[in-house]
Amino acid sequence: MAFKRTQVLLAGVIAVAIASAGVLWSRRDVPTGVSAETPARIDLEVSRFLLGTESDYKVSVTNLTDCAAIIQALSLGRKVRPDHCVSLGTMTVHYSSGTSNEIRLSPGHDDGRFEFTLNGVHSISRTRFAEAVSKAGVDKSKLLLGN
């Protein structure tokens, strides 16, 4: 009888451990530091050295709906292991309160992902991010997101 109770207890502990691991594995880490406040403006800048052009690519997004869509795409990021990849450029998010966040942009390690750094490195869907920035008038090819 004691052996059976031990088996049931052990099975319960294993089930809880597996369920907990599943929850932790599927949890999305929202990049801390991005304000819940809708940005007033987002400035994107990509280095001319990466583009092979004579000047940097710079664009500002001022439409509040477009800014919110870009932040929404970033909020779906999952924390990944830090690396030493080259930065494509920066995205500076400006809020009406006068605060701002500077986010480093990176190409990612596979064709389906795009990475950014803000309080750690995060990976997001390349397609989702490309859709958000292109709707805002950003030339997604400048961010190495395709044509």
Side-chain angles (χ1 to χ4, degrees):
M1 189 71 150
F3 180 70
K4 195 168 201 149
R5 254 191 312 217
T6 303
Q7 284 180 321
V8 170
L9 181 62
L10 183 59
V13 168
I14 291 171
V16 169
I18 290 171
S20 298
V23 167
L24 292 174
W25 180 262
S26 65
R27 196 187 101 196
R28 293 180 181 251
D29 291 307
V30 176
T32 58
V34 174
S35 174
E37 178 185 357
T38 299
R41 183 178 87 238
I42 297 176
D43 296 327
L44 287 139
E45 183 172 346
V46 180
S47 169
R48 67 181 179 271
F49 300 109
L50 290 170
L51 297 173
T53 61
E54 291 184 20
S55 61
D56 294 344
Y57 175 71
K58 296 179 183 181
V59 64
S60 291
V61 177
T62 56
N63 179 288
L64 296 181
T65 302
D66 293 337
C67 288
I70 292 170
I71 295 302
Q72 172 62 27
L74 293 177
S75 74
L76 299 173
R78 291 182 183 218
K79 204 163 212 162
V80 295
R81 195 184 72 175
D83 57 29
H84 302 288
C85 289
V86 66
S87 174
L88 291 173
T90 58
M91 177 177 2
T92 306
V93 182
H94 301 275
Y95 301 97
S96 56
S97 64
T99 61
S100 63
N101 294 118
E102 184 170 290
I103 301 169
R104 185 176 68 91
L105 305 173
S106 301
H109 291 281
D110 70 54
D111 291 339
R113 308 299 292 171
F114 190 78
E115 292 180 359
F116 66 96
T117 303
L118 177 65
N119 294 334
V121 180
H122 297 80
S123 175
I124 55 177
S125 162
R126 183 178 294 263
T127 302
R128 184 166 293 178
F129 186 65
E131 287 172 0
V133 297
S134 63
K135 283 181 183 175
V138 175
D139 182 350
K140 65 182 181 177
S141 70
K142 303 291 187 191
L143 294 173
L144 306 181
L145 293 169
N147 296 322

